[in-house]
Amino acid sequence: MSRKVHITIQAGEISEQTVEVAESATYEDLLNTLDINQETVLVLNGGNAVPLDGTVSSDRLTILRVVTGG
């Protein structure tokens, strides 16, 4: 069984898309599906960061690209 998840990606500009993931998918699985390096983003559910090994539990998520530098 699968579920649809609406994703908002904030990386300078904002893009939105809907993807289908397995019911047991983790946030790491979701990032892999989107071909996004997990070390460059935060996944937010309701404005709160979620652990990447947690199971996707919402149908609306935000992926925030983080920028570091000196």
Side-chain angles (χ1 to χ4, degrees):
M1 182 147 286
S2 62
R3 72 171 358 144
K4 290 186 179 183
V5 181
H6 182 80
I7 310 278
T8 302
I9 301 173
Q10 297 180 351
E13 59 184 57
I14 296 175
S15 64
E16 295 187 25
Q17 66 187 77
T18 301
V19 296
E20 198 162 323
V21 297
E23 287 286 332
S24 61
T26 64
Y27 295 103
E28 184 176 11
D29 295 334
L30 175 66
L31 293 176
N32 288 336
T33 298
L34 296 169
D35 197 28
I36 295 175
N37 181 341
Q38 67 186 22
E39 295 179 10
T40 63
V41 297
L42 289 173
V43 180
L44 306 174
N45 180 2
N48 297 310
V50 296
L52 294 180
D53 62 351
T55 303
V56 176
S57 62
S58 176
D59 62 349
R60 294 183 96 38
L61 298 170
T62 301
I63 296 175
L64 179 63
R65 291 205 187 263
V66 293
V67 178
T68 61

